[in-house]
Amino acid sequence: MDEGSRPKVVLVTGVARELAGRVVRRLADDPSIDRVLGVDLVPPKHPMGRGEYVRADVRSPLLARLITQARVDTVVHMGVIATPRDAGGRVVQKDINVLGTMQLMAACQKSAGVRRVVVKSTAGVYGSSPKDPAVFTEEMTAKRLPRSGFPHDSMEAESYVRGLSRRRPDIGITMLRMANVIGPSISTVLTDYFRMPVLPVPFGQQGRLQFLHEDDAVAAAVHATTGPVAGTVNIAGDGALSLGQAIALSRRPWVPVLPGAAGLSLWATKQLGWAALPSDHMDFLSFGRVIDTQRMRKELGFAPAYTSRGAFESFLAARSAHDRPEQQPMEDVT
Amino acid sequence: MIEQDASQGAPDLSQLSETDLEQAVLLLIKGLRAAGAAAGLAGDELDESVARTLAFLRRRISGDYTIDEFGYDADFTEHVAMPLLRPLYRSWFRVEVRGIENIPAEGGGLVVANHSGTIAVDSVMTQLAVHDETPGRRSLRMLGADLVFGSPVVGPVARKTGSTLATSADAQRLLDEGHLVGVWPEGFKGVGKLYKDRYRLQRFGRGGFVAAALRAEVPIIPCSIVGAEEMAPMLANAAPLARLLGIPYFPITATFPWLGPLGLVPLPSKWLIEFGTPIRTDDRGEGAADDPAVVFEISDRVRETIQHTLYDLLRDRRSVFF
């Protein structure tokens, strides 16, 4: 790769959160990068190494000034939020995801210095339905598009990224459509689900689930920042698990949920304080999705360290280590 | 005091549950041995089959098996689905297979067959024929309607046993990966036709399967199935009821729905499955898959071949049941 396109000043959004924070740390370790700026509304609790925290809202026009003043050449947008809980409610979540991406892409478009943009998106944009092909490549769109929640936010966010690529073809854009990220430290809808004491399972359905280990998610974002520009790329661990297999591996009891009672079961898990699952969660468990990762290997040149199953087992190992003290409260007394 | 009680109670509890589990396993082994003995197994053969069943159960309970990206579960297909269907294949329908040498020993291939029989058992019988009769025990991956994959229980079982959605994307992917793919282009028009229209091929659609074979440059193997039409002769179609239930057709046969679930038992018709001479698709040049003239020509040829083979097989057959 030629020296001109190597990132010198990188701006990362959403750094108060686990994955983005780790991306900042990894980029700060790279001596060829002069400055790494981490932007978020809340200061990160984790160390960022050489990375500098800047308190700013991605939704504000202030960001465009920051990009110009700091001579940012590479923007890594990790500030999309998958669960309403992390954002402080669904309205705020949608605001940050959609308006945040819109403002950030507008800032990139106006800036003369930005050469490269990396955006974290989700395989959720492909939806989950029985009417779609078994394996999605990047060119495909779902027959039944996601109508609400985080997948819908991501579709709108992606449209702003496409808008930028049309208006500024000179900027190299890599958009990572990640499979469900899972691992020992990350908390998502799916980790909340598999941490519940009893798992509600759609009756007679077994979706195909594909996972991406959190370490691989970080490595993929770092690779996309410093490696080749690849456009829209699916990112996932090899192989897939069926829902039944995942439940067997998780060794949790489960109850079948009849069609039509999905809403009731989600309400019940929320009332019990177990997990706040989105309305499309049962569809995801029923039909799942698998994404094709040939472009990830060939054009991005990235190979994940964990398979889908390996990533899931890594999460399970951490879960049981975490659960043990709760299950034996008597030991604390003696 | 309370602490002591608790610390003493805990190991007792775990011992209790362990012996219970052991007893349950021993009971299961006894049951399996009895079932095996009843099926006429003895000695080492019996031990081996009991051990195999236990190993299978262990894999299923612990989740220690692999599915591919389409959801195909070879462990389940070969150890549950096929053994369950084999008695139907061997003793009930007494399937006779011809032209198995036309199935390529390796690499991609597209098996195109006629669809009939009110309930689509012909697809699984063809899958079993391909698996049991080919030297390499090839697995046939089938293309099905989206209705199948949306249905509870049926959908996951279909995926586990090697079916996937009948779209060009899935067909293409399977063929490119060197799988043997089975397609029934008549779809519901074929299975849901009346008895008076038996062995009359329905429309073959737009020939999407031909385009997929052309792109992957794999041979098309026409397959003609005789016998399925007589296993549940459909006398009428209660179309309003079907519309109400959101299904493509509602069959009225001599026994269904009159006898309830018992009416689903198929008649023991004698089956013949013939695999015809493969039709090459790798000699049509670039862009043939996008040329409707080429696609329709091949599609028509496949259809004609199946139709004529059906007439020949019917002439060969001594009676419907023998």
Side-chain angles (χ1 to χ4, degrees), chain A residues 133-134 204-205 208 245 292 309, chain B residues 64-65 69 150 153 156 170 173:
Chain A
Q205 296 288 8
R208 293 157 298 129
Q245 197 179 2
D292 175 87
R309 181 170 173 164
Chain B
D64 193 14
Y65 55 91
E69 53 191 11
V153 185
D170 281 13
R173 205 175 174 83

Side-chain angles (χ1 to χ4, degrees), chain A residues 41 73 104 139 151 195 227 264 292 301 309:
Chain A
L41 265 176
D73 54 44
L104 185 63
E139 298 78 37
R195 278 182 202 280
L264 188 72
D292 175 87
R309 181 170 173 164

